[in-house]
Amino acid sequence: MPDPRVSIPAAYGGVAADAAWAAEIKRLAKARNAVILAHNYQLPPIQDIADYVGDSLALSRIAAEVDADEIIFCGVHFMAETAKILAPGKRVLIPDERAGCSLADSITADDLREWKADYPNAMVVSYVNTTAEVKGLTDICCTSSNAVDVVASIDPDTEVLFLPDQFLGAHVKRETGRDNMHIWAGECHVHAGINGDELTEQSESHPDADLFIHPECGCATSALYLAGEGAVPADKVKILSTGGMIEAARETTAKQVLVATEVGMLHQLRKAAPEVDFQPVNSRAACPYMKMITPAALLRCLTEGKDEVFVADDVAAKARKSVERMIVIGNPGSGE
């Protein structure tokens, strides 16, 4: 479901993800001493060829730790930036630098400067799904799995500016009961499009299914409402990060799970628990930016060394501190 407010560039195509392609990708990566990282929302062939698959923060931390000259980050641009922030000494490449993010683009550094000027004594909490410049203006970063803990760690008398996702912000405000929390009105157009009516219809037609709901989704509040009204047993509703979904998949005793997040996540869930029937709440919830990292794009990246990701040293230093402050709290989270 492309966002009507943006124009999605055409992806690189014309290459089949066959055995010859896979062998060439592995050969080129070894020759470059490169590690391939793939986000959970990537196309299945990209996930399957990667050395590591996960959420953006977990992958960025792997980028900092692995012994490699190059990091090939198969995801969207802000994720590759985060990897560069945490691994400044490595060369970071993204197979298509045009792969953006409607959520990260919903707030700019100038927007944040203006917002901070209105609340000069507030603490800024930014979701990791933001640009490097925004992270550089942030006090503490958070992930979807630790956002509640991060906000709860701040003095209750201190105002909080939470950005950019309004649905995650609403979840945090609901969980912490904090009145002095201001929430930026941003959203991921894919997650926002997974709505409460769809969730209600799916849960009614699959009454025995567990519900895995990403807090960025427009249906998160509806899921809690259904549980509160008794329409769905409360223990079946699980608000989870992408990393949390993998853990929950391995532990669930349900035969079927309805999943409210980008559909690429289903590939890893089905691999984690092949005996469980995972079905999307919205089968059209595919991020066109994520799907720009095609087999052709990855081959181009490894053949031509494109596209390299740069973050200015001063911006990276400030952004790194906001991530490190999050980790000091004690729950670095599993990412978005």
Side-chain angles (χ1 to χ4, degrees), residues 137-151:
L137 295 170
T138 294
D139 293 302
I140 310 177
C141 275
C142 72
T143 68
S144 59
S145 60
N146 70 16
V148 171
D149 290 340
V150 167
V151 171

Side-chain angles (χ1 to χ4, degrees), residues 21 26 38 43-51 53 267-268 271:
W21 169 82
K26 290 295 187 183
L43 293 166
I46 301 297
Q47 294 189 39
D48 289 342
I49 200 68
D51 298 298
V53 180
H267 187 60
Q268 287 301 312
K271 289 175 73 173

